[in-house]
Amino acid sequence: MSSTVAAPPAKAPKTNRLGLTMKEYQGAESTLCAGCGHDAITSSIIKAFYDLGVPPHMVAKLSGIGCSSKTTNYFLNGSHGFNTVHGRMATIATGANMANRHLVNIGVSGDGDTASIGLGHFCHMVRRNVHVVYLIENNGCYGLTKGQASATADKGTVMKSGITIQSQPVDLCALAIEMGCGFVARSFSGDTQQVRTLIKAAVAHTGTAVIDIVSPCVTFNNHEGSTKSQVYARDHEEPLHEMDFIPHYENISVDYEPGTAKVVKMHDGSHITLKKLEVDYDSHDRLRALELLSHARNENLFYTGLVYFNPDIKPLDEHMNLIDEPLAQLPESRVRPSQEAFASIMKTFA
Amino acid sequence: MSQAVADAAKKPATSDPWQQVNDVVIRIATPNGSGSQSANNALMRSIFTMGVPVSSKNLFPSNIQGLPTWFTIRANEHGWQSARNRTDLCIAMNPQTAAEDIAELQPGTMLICRESLKALVKRDDLVVYVVPFNKIVNTVCDETRLRKMVINMIYVGVVAHLLGIEFDEVEKAIHWQFAKKVKAAQLNTQAARAGYDYAVANLEAQTRFVLKRSKAAEGKILLEGNQATALGMVFGGLTFASWYPITPSSSVCEYLTGYMDKFRRDPDGKNTYVILQAEDELAAIGMVLGASWAGARSFTATSGPGISLMAEMAGLSYFAEVPAVVVDVQRMGPSTGLPTRTCQGDISKAYYLSHGDCKHILLMPGNMKECYEFAMESLELAEQFQTIVFLMTDLDLGMNKWLSDNFEYPSKPISRGKVLSAHDLSQNGTFARYKDVDGDGIPYRTVPGTDHPGAAFFTRGTGHTETAAYSEKAEAWQKNIDRLARKFDTAREKVPQPIVKNESGAEIGIIAYGSTDAAVVETRHILEHEHGVKTAYLRLRALPVGKTVQEFCGSYKKILIVEQNRDAQVAGILKSEYPELAPRFTSILHYNGLPIDADTLVAKILPQAGK
């Protein structure tokens, strides 16, 4: 703000680069349980979109069914939202992306929505590389139907009902990598700094960006014996790196000791910096990523951060040889072929 | 060959009191995947280009190669196109079915059969032409691989001679068929010529069935319903399609892909559309809803099993008021059923698709032109009513070739319905997504990306208020669901209206829809001219019904509702709409998987007329 103004201005609310206040990125009041991990993620989404200065009207908020899917109502009131049916949000996101490739799609799903009923669609969305930020608020249980186990509950964990999980968990990060995803991250709802940074980077990514966030269910899956509880996640989280995001409209100035950090350039000109921590980890190495995830599953380790990153996978809209304008807005002259074209087709039937 | 048959075959071409000009049904039995389709199409086209109205029914198995296929060509000066249960000329090429094919023929039928099948002809009441196909093909073609492909073309030549099809037309048809494949066209022409020459030299001309140049098919076109549907989508301004392969609807999107690729590119070569093959029907309809919600004109095509999978999304579309078009090319169910047989068995399922109180708009085209026009109309209605619209065709319409009047270039501009732009919002000030502003039950919507602070709203399948806020309140729920019923009532007079042929003095009024029309039109002609029974006819073209249907049902003592399903699905809907008229309703049902034919229909209606 200019310093030439003589009198200090009346305390104007803080605004972002679009001149919008944080309020304009908020949504309806949450109706989730007090202390729910999802609410922390909602706050991170609000902050990330505010920080990035994404115009709310250009955002499409998409979700399926479940506690997590309700949260799209709790952020970005100025954006269109679509709370769809259980497990099918990935398909809705695919259609919405094709209709208007300029929309910023943020999909919020849960472990039931994605890892069980919607597993197939999730795989195919990733495989197609639909341009969407896809968050899984992963609590290892079905909160809205009172705590049944989900497919991401780790083997051997004891559910509140007393049932011990016998099946292998679905690792959505490993699956996403297997399906060819170019942006795969894992985080913890309590690590708000990391969640926010990951969301920003995901928005800047071209293609599907999957962030699997352990988000404890304080009501049904927060007890001892659960690997998705607040205490367990907090005590076991091991970040792969310290991450920072520098948006394309800001100058990058990084001064790390050589060899201690990696700077990754994204297609839109943004940068991700990954500062090395205890684990020596390279997010560009697909096989290393799968190995890490496999190791983490076997040893019950909870690594967080950008597990895999490859900005060079073509997104679906580019494969479709699409015009730049949204299909949704084409005038009749662009979508109805001419009389001559019609006549030429009719001739083939005569 | 018995003496009598031989005599019949050699009968001189004099005036024949039984002669039928331009009225013949040709049935060709071949194994699936033997290349007979090219021959059959060429034969059909050569009749068409002589100006004789022609249509075909392809009875094929759910199989790629080897199982029996029957292709029936009907040439008819009146333009009758429905199936017949009689054959005038049978071509037996398939050893698997020949015995049965021959046994089924009515006395006097002409039979062309391969030399190797001669022993199977154990009756003497047929006019039999034994043709040494293998010997003839050897004179045409050296390569064993190609022989298999062109052998069928020989019967085209034989039939041309027997029925009087000009060989020039055969040659043109073959070249049309093989378009740019010059060598294939030449080889196939040679095969047809060899068959023709053989017939001229060895087979006596017959006089019972004769094809003569006509003007009846002049200016007409010949195509499949799935082609017509695809065309409607192209000219209806479709921008997004998603589909999952399923017989008999797959060719809708395959034709669409071809047309869009050619006609829907910007000058710089970029596409103004997307067609995506989905992972299943759940995804196909999900993508359609997503694209449509974001503002693109969208559709998917499927058949019965796909409809079952789309049920949940249909409810979302209905309740959240997101436009969607679903083409249902109906096949025989339940379950996997008979994937390559026709029926009208999805009507009530589609009408009420999804849980809770759901009712949907169904368009029911009865011919090629309507497949095209209703495809466009379905896109319009889906957006104008902000709901899912089903275009109900069937395998008979979709995959068979029908003769049609020329289509017309759309005269109506595209209307996207009640969509508010940023400009509209600045003018209006407020916007309540689910408010019935105009009293027709249809609210206003906005699409994502609309640059106005008041544009956004939250779309949900859960209970909501007029302003799209979540609500579990009883009054809010009921108000909304009542408005949806009002919207449905608005549709009654906006959907394509029935076509009514009143008949003063008639006691019987027939109601039919979809592909059944062809058989009904012919049936009414037969009833009137051969049995003296006059009938009125209402052809239903859409659901929900409106007052025209009610008036018609009230005007005739007996209402016969003809459907190609077991459970009288439209009759059920009409009974619930007009319980007071229900005592007049009698259902005439046909559901064996074969297209309904006039002979069957006449036989079922006559007792209703006291005959």
Side-chain angles (χ1 to χ4, degrees):
Chain A
M1 198 170 283
S2 165
S3 57
T4 56
V5 180
K11 214 177 175 193
K14 224 177 121 194
T15 58
N16 65 5
R17 67 188 180 109
L18 295 183
L20 299 175
T21 64
M22 185 75 87
K23 199 167 179 295
E24 282 160 291
Y25 289 85
Q26 286 164 349
E29 202 180 321
S30 169
T31 58
L32 301 177
C33 306
C36 178
H38 300 358
D39 284 336
I41 299 171
T42 296
S43 299
S44 297
I45 295 170
I46 292 168
K47 189 73 173 58
F49 277 73
Y50 168 85
D51 286 353
L52 287 173
V54 179
H57 78 274
M58 287 309 292
V59 178
K61 307 178 292 179
L62 309 164
S63 58
I65 293 293
C67 292
S68 57
S69 292
K70 286 180 160 201
T71 66
T72 45
N73 195 26
Y74 310 147
F75 59 84
L76 271 73
N77 248 349
S79 307
H80 277 75
F82 197 174
N83 183 196
T84 64
V85 296
H86 200 20
R88 319 284 171 228
M89 180 263 281
T91 70
I92 300 278
T94 306
N97 178 220
M98 293 299 97
N100 186 344
R101 58 194 301 210
H102 298 298
L103 292 176
V104 176
N105 301 301
I106 175 160
V108 182
S109 181
D111 37 311
D113 203 52
T114 294
S116 287
I117 189 168
L119 191 66
H121 302 311
F122 172 75
C123 291
H124 288 280
M125 172 197 68
V126 170
R127 190 183 130 256
R128 294 189 181 101
N129 204 16
V130 175
H131 196 155
V132 56
V133 177
Y134 193 100
L135 303 185
I136 302 123
E137 302 186 338
N138 185 350
N139 56 19
C141 74
Y142 287 78
L144 208 48
T145 51
K146 304 199 168 177
Q148 298 84 354
S150 87
T152 64
D154 288 315
K155 189 175 179 184
T157 60
V158 183
M159 300 308 291
K160 204 176 180 183
S161 61
I163 291 169
T164 304
I165 301 302
Q166 306 293 350
S167 311
Q168 293 294 334
V170 172
D171 184 337
L172 293 168
C173 285
L175 195 58
I177 294 171
E178 196 52 55
M179 291 295 134
C181 191
F183 187 111
V184 181
R186 173 158 286 152
S187 193
F188 166 46
S189 59
D191 190 346
T192 52
Q193 184 70 33
Q194 190 192 54
V195 171
R196 199 190 310 162
T197 307
L198 282 170
I199 292 171
K200 287 183 197 173
V203 169
H205 179 67
T206 312
T208 307
V210 171
I211 312 177
D212 177 22
I213 308 171
V214 171
S215 174
C217 174
V218 292
T219 305
F220 294 111
N221 201 9
N222 206 24
H223 51 277
E224 212 180 309
S226 162
T227 57
K228 301 282 192 290
S229 71
Q230 283 283 7
V231 172
Y232 187 93
R234 195 189 57 215
D235 292 353
H236 290 77
E237 185 192 5
E238 190 168 339
L240 294 166
H241 31 235
E242 193 182 307
M243 199 179 157
D244 204 2
F245 175 79
I246 300 117
H248 63 89
Y249 50 86
E250 276 177 19
N251 289 329
I252 179 167
S253 60
V254 188
D255 47 353
Y256 295 119
E257 291 285 309
T260 62
K262 267 209 173 80
V263 180
V264 182
K265 192 169 177 195
M266 305 186 81
H267 272 293
D268 73 339
S270 303
H271 291 82
I272 303 169
T273 62
L274 302 165
K275 198 174 158 197
K276 202 193 270 181
L277 294 174
E278 272 143 60
V279 195
D280 186 17
Y281 189 70
D282 178 4
S283 299
H284 285 80
D285 186 339
R286 191 163 171 270
L287 290 178
R288 172 80 179 96
L290 287 168
E291 187 188 35
L292 176 100
L293 292 169
S294 169
H295 175 67
R297 187 163 44 171
N298 291 338
E299 305 295 322
N300 265 334
L301 302 173
F302 180 32
Y303 291 119
T304 63
L306 187 56
V307 179
Y308 179 64
F309 182 66
N310 177 357
D312 298 326
I313 305 168
K314 235 188 186 185
L316 181 62
D317 58 337
E318 284 178 31
H319 277 295
M320 289 288 131
N321 185 36
L322 265 177
I323 49 155
D324 189 51
E325 304 100 299
L327 292 179
Q329 293 162 16
L330 295 178
E332 184 171 317
S333 59
R334 304 270 299 278
V335 298
R336 175 171 279 170
S338 66
Q339 295 253 22
E340 292 69 42
F342 180 79
S344 74
I345 297 170
M346 283 299 113
K347 231 188 244 170
T348 65
F349 304 136
Chain B
M1 202 187 290
S2 75
Q3 196 51 51
V5 173
D7 288 348
K10 284 180 183 161
K11 222 166 86 181
T14 51
S15 63
D16 180 344
W18 300 101
Q19 187 171 77
Q20 287 182 210
V21 177
N22 290 351
D23 183 14
V24 64
V25 177
I26 308 166
R27 189 168 214 237
I28 305 148
T30 54
N32 197 21
S34 66
S36 55
Q37 213 169 341
S38 307
N40 298 339
N41 284 334
L43 178 57
M44 185 177 177
R45 186 169 174 81
S46 60
I47 300 172
F48 172 58
T49 51
M50 279 175 66
V52 181
V54 67
S55 58
S56 65
K57 306 282 181 208
N58 188 17
L59 190 66
F60 61 104
S62 183
N63 164 264
I64 299 301
Q65 207 172 47
L67 290 185
T69 299
W70 294 270
F71 192 84
T72 306
I73 297 171
R74 182 175 186 191
N76 183 278
E77 184 73 10
H78 296 285
W80 305 137
Q81 300 198 56
S82 72
R84 289 310 306 258
N85 65 3
R86 72 153 216 261
T87 300
D88 301 319
L89 169 58
C90 174
I91 302 164
M93 296 296 285
N94 190 352
Q96 275 178 286
T97 62
E100 213 179 317
D101 290 337
I102 294 165
E104 279 173 1
L105 297 175
Q106 289 172 0
T109 305
M110 298 197 291
L111 170 69
I112 296 172
C113 82
R114 315 174 73 139
E115 210 158 39
S116 57
L117 303 177
K118 200 166 73 174
L120 295 172
V121 188
K122 291 180 179 127
R123 43 193 289 196
D124 58 7
D125 57 350
L126 303 174
V127 184
V128 183
Y129 302 97
V130 177
V131 176
F133 281 90
N134 291 337
K135 238 184 259 170
I136 299 172
V137 80
N138 287 348
T139 66
V140 177
C141 180
D142 294 334
E143 275 182 69
T144 321
R145 187 179 57 87
L146 290 177
R147 276 181 202 152
K148 267 197 223 156
M149 303 305 292
V150 301
I151 194 162
N152 292 303
M153 213 45 96
I154 293 170
Y155 64 68
V156 177
V158 174
V159 172
H161 170 65
L162 286 177
L163 298 183
I165 302 167
E166 296 157 24
F167 193 79
D168 267 6
E169 296 297 353
V170 173
E171 193 168 349
K172 273 192 272 175
I174 292 170
H175 280 268
W176 187 88
Q177 178 75 25
F178 290 95
K180 282 168 192 148
K181 295 180 202 155
V182 183
K183 267 196 170 163
Q186 280 170 353
L187 185 61
N188 279 281
T189 306
Q190 281 167 25
R193 166 60 75 182
Y196 188 83
D197 290 347
Y198 175 84
V200 170
N202 299 284
L203 307 178
E204 287 288 340
Q206 58 80 41
T207 56
R208 176 78 200 280
F209 301 101
V210 178
L211 291 173
K212 284 186 178 156
R213 194 161 274 284
S214 166
K215 289 189 186 306
E218 248 175 38
K220 306 260 184 191
I221 55 175
L222 198 57
L223 75 168
E224 295 163 24
N226 285 354
Q227 262 174 317
T229 302
L231 265 186
M233 296 300 166
V234 175
F235 286 88
L238 180 91
T239 49
F240 180 82
S242 177
W243 65 294
Y244 186 73
I246 182 170
T247 304
S249 81
S250 300
S251 60
V252 173
C253 285
E254 284 163 349
Y255 283 125
L256 182 74
T257 303
Y259 291 132
M260 291 295 234
D261 185 52
K262 206 163 169 197
F263 297 105
R264 286 285 299 278
R265 281 170 188 265
D266 263 15
D268 61 357
K270 294 284 184 185
N271 297 343
T272 61
Y273 68 93
V274 166
I275 300 173
L276 266 187
Q277 188 183 317
E279 58 268 31
D280 53 32
E281 288 90 343
L282 302 164
I285 186 68
M287 290 179 193
V288 164
L289 257 63
S292 197
W293 173 78
R297 273 209 155 172
S298 314
F299 106 110
T300 183
T302 189
S303 190
I307 294 292
S308 294
L309 287 179
M310 291 177 188
E312 190 179 19
M313 282 284 186
L316 179 67
S317 165
Y318 175 80
F319 189 64
E321 300 180 64
V322 180
V325 170
V326 176
V327 174
D328 180 2
V329 187
Q330 295 168 89
R331 70 186 214 187
M332 186 54 92
S335 194
T336 307
L338 297 171
T340 60
R341 298 289 185 272
T342 194
C343 80
Q344 298 177 317
D346 299 347
I347 302 293
S348 48
K349 171 55 83 185
Y351 189 59
Y352 298 115
L353 195 65
S354 208
H355 51 275
D357 284 323
C358 263
K359 278 192 282 188
H360 308 293
I361 295 171
L362 267 55
L363 304 191
M364 305 190 288
N367 52 51
M368 296 300 99
K369 206 170 179 190
E370 286 181 354
C371 285
Y372 162 69
E373 289 172 352
F374 288 9
M376 289 193 282
E377 191 61 17
S378 64
L379 293 169
E380 291 279 306
L381 290 170
E383 290 194 330
Q384 284 162 16
F385 283 86
Q386 300 171 26
T387 192
I388 193 164
V389 171
F390 292 88
L391 182 66
M392 307 298 288
T393 71
D394 60 30
L395 183 141
D396 188 18
L397 279 176
M399 291 189 73
N400 285 323
K401 278 210 161 88
W402 297 71
L403 193 73
S404 168
D405 287 335
N406 239 312
F407 297 171
E408 279 140 36
Y409 189 76
S411 52
K412 269 195 315 186
I414 288 171
S415 157
R416 308 292 310 266
K418 298 181 185 180
V419 182
L420 296 174
S421 64
H423 176 76
D424 297 331
L425 289 165
S426 334
Q427 304 276 305
N428 300 352
T430 58
F431 157 62
R433 171 65 181 103
Y434 296 111
K435 193 173 177 189
D436 187 4
V437 178
D438 304 323
D440 55 5
I442 308 168
Y444 286 79
R445 66 176 180 134
T446 57
V447 295
T450 306
D451 190 3
H452 187 279
F457 67 95
F458 200 82
T459 310
R460 60 175 96 241
T462 44
H464 44 259
T465 64
E466 279 183 353
T467 54
Y470 180 76
S471 173
E472 295 179 2
K473 283 199 176 125
E475 316 80 70
W477 176 267
Q478 193 158 336
K479 190 176 176 192
N480 191 36
I481 210 86
D482 283 343
R483 179 183 56 76
L484 286 168
R486 205 154 60 240
K487 181 164 95 166
F488 194 67
D489 285 337
T490 302
R492 292 178 188 279
E493 307 300 325
K494 300 272 187 193
V495 297
Q497 294 299 298
I499 292 184
V500 181
K501 295 211 159 56
N502 279 312
E503 189 66 56
S504 61
E507 292 204 337
I508 290 177
I510 297 171
I511 294 181
Y513 56 92
S515 63
T516 310
D517 179 57
V520 173
V521 170
E522 189 175 356
T523 297
R524 289 181 68 228
H525 180 88
I526 296 171
L527 285 173
E528 184 178 345
H529 293 93
E530 295 178 20
H531 304 282
V533 177
K534 285 192 170 190
T535 55
Y537 179 30
L538 178 142
R539 180 158 71 85
L540 198 58
R541 302 198 299 164
L543 292 174
V545 292
K547 53 180 186 298
T548 312
V549 175
Q550 192 177 16
E551 279 167 20
F552 182 84
C553 292
S555 305
Y556 298 93
K557 246 175 147 173
K558 203 171 240 178
I559 299 294
L560 302 183
I561 305 170
V562 186
E563 304 186 56
Q564 299 187 61
N565 59 57
R566 185 194 66 183
D567 290 345
Q569 299 184 7
V570 160
I573 292 165
L574 294 182
K575 278 178 192 166
S576 74
E577 289 277 351
Y578 311 120
E580 70 286 0
L581 292 168
R584 299 176 183 220
F585 297 164
T586 300
S587 282
I588 305 276
L589 304 167
H590 176 90
Y591 47 89
N592 61 7
L594 304 175
I596 192 167
D597 60 273
D599 309 280
T600 304
L601 204 44
V602 168
K604 284 185 177 177
I605 291 178
L606 279 177
Q608 298 295 332
K611 301 230 172 181

